[in-house]
Amino acid sequence: MSLLENVLKELPAYLGKFTRMLTQPSRLVHDHLNADDPNALLAQSIAFLLLSFTIALVLAVVFPEMTNPVQLVSDEAGMAAHALAAIRVLFELLGLSALAYLAAKVAGVQSGFQRFFGLMCAACGVMLVIQVFAAALTNISLADPVTAKAWIKLEKGMATLKPLIEQGVLCATDGSTGEVRPNAALGAQLQTQLTSLQATYLQATDRPLFKLAAGLQLLAGLILLIWSGRLWLMYLNGHALSTGKLILATVLLVVFTGAGSLVYELVNAGRTMMDVYRHCG
């Protein structure tokens, strides 16, 4: 049986569970904190997460997010990059879950990681699908021919500009001092192209459908933020923590998330720059 057939077979039950989790976060928390057999519930949560990941992967490939023209490409390599975006979001959510558990433990939560991980697998399944669905909403703007054609122009312009910046600017970095020394003629050429692309970008984004798509994506993000915040507070309240410890856990979560995000971005930046330098002529 193919992957698609498996997904379609499980979809009705999945949608019911997804809707219940999204609309009744208190029940989700209660079930995981008071489960008689946490191992069985953990297995169900992992199965839900895997199915959510499969659905998110399909959405990411069929309706890739219209982010920036560098990433919005139509070749096979670009589509593979969009498919990997779902994997990246999944690991980001799991990493955030680990930081959240650390913050909760420092604040005094006594339950083991097993129950928390089961809850987070279920929550990550919901958040993953919503995030990818929110990204897919950006395709609404492409129904406007002005935006669509302007975006195609941006794609082509960035396809020319990106290697020019990499080879002419980044690769011009002095290996001993770290200073970037692009030539003046290249700087003038880059400025002209950037000005032209900026005008095209403003033309693409100053359209009703683009603003509608951006607003819907923002709304989905706000819903996700409120839902995850409620889930976090319900989990802490389920352990009868004092108000002070609730605040402490939330502050620690923000601090740990900020520090983890900084490290994560530095790792990505280092990997990206190394890839550029390896291809310097």
Side-chain angles (χ1 to χ4, degrees):
M1 187 177 292
S2 68
L3 176 63
L4 182 58
E5 289 175 334
N6 282 327
V7 171
L8 292 176
K9 180 180 178 181
E10 299 292 335
L11 192 58
Y14 171 85
L15 290 176
K17 186 178 294 185
F18 179 90
T19 304
R20 185 168 60 253
M21 290 180 179
L22 185 62
T23 57
Q24 301 177 21
S26 58
R27 179 178 174 182
L28 175 62
V29 173
H30 179 272
D31 289 346
H32 281 272
L33 291 183
N34 299 281
D36 296 328
D37 187 358
N39 288 329
L41 196 55
L42 175 60
Q44 293 176 17
S45 296
I46 292 175
F48 177 82
L49 176 60
L50 292 176
L51 185 55
S52 296
F53 172 76
T54 304
I55 293 172
L57 187 62
V58 172
L59 284 174
V61 173
V62 177
F63 300 108
E65 180 180 12
M66 197 187 88
T67 50
N68 63 65
V70 177
Q71 297 175 338
L72 187 62
V73 289
S74 57
D75 57 13
E76 292 183 1
M79 294 305 292
H82 285 300
L84 290 175
I87 300 176
R88 180 174 178 174
V89 172
L90 173 61
F91 281 99
E92 288 173 353
L93 290 173
L94 292 176
L96 177 61
S97 299
L99 294 175
Y101 180 72
L102 178 60
K105 288 296 287 185
V106 172
V109 169
Q110 298 300 319
S111 64
F113 183 71
Q114 187 180 40
R115 293 180 184 274
F116 181 82
F117 187 67
L119 174 62
M120 285 300 101
C121 282
C124 285
V126 174
M127 292 189 286
L128 181 63
V129 171
I130 291 179
Q131 280 189 280
V132 176
F133 176 74
L137 290 175
T138 57
N139 287 275
I140 292 175
S141 60
L142 298 179
D144 184 343
V146 174
T147 299
K149 290 187 176 183
W151 213 262
I152 292 172
K153 183 178 179 181
L154 285 172
E155 288 180 22
K156 295 178 179 179
M158 289 306 300
T160 303
L161 189 62
K162 184 181 178 182
L164 190 64
I165 293 175
E166 292 177 351
Q167 296 294 325
V169 179
L170 298 180
C171 289
T173 302
D174 191 307
S176 58
T177 65
E179 295 181 2
V180 180
R181 299 174 179 175
N183 60 67
L186 177 61
Q189 181 182 356
L190 287 175
Q191 184 60 47
T192 300
Q193 291 191 20
L194 285 172
T195 301
S196 175
L197 291 176
Q198 182 181 27
T200 303
Y201 179 79
L202 292 175
Q203 178 189 20
T205 57
D206 191 24
R207 301 288 295 179
L209 281 182
F210 186 94
K211 294 177 180 179
L212 173 62
L216 291 174
Q217 188 179 28
L218 177 61
L219 177 61
L222 289 175
I223 292 173
L224 183 60
L225 179 63
I226 294 171
W227 184 84
S228 58
R230 290 185 60 199
L231 198 72
W232 171 249
L233 293 177
M234 289 173 184
Y235 173 77
L236 296 177
N237 283 324
H239 293 83
L241 296 183
S242 65
T243 303
K245 288 187 176 181
L246 285 175
I247 296 174
L248 174 62
T250 304
V251 171
L252 289 175
L253 176 61
V254 173
V255 172
F256 291 163
T257 302
S261 298
L262 177 60
V263 173
Y264 180 71
E265 291 302 325
L266 287 174
V267 169
N268 278 332
R271 179 181 57 81
T272 301
M273 293 306 297
M274 196 62 182
D275 289 342
V276 171
Y277 293 144
R278 281 198 179 102
H279 292 87
C280 286

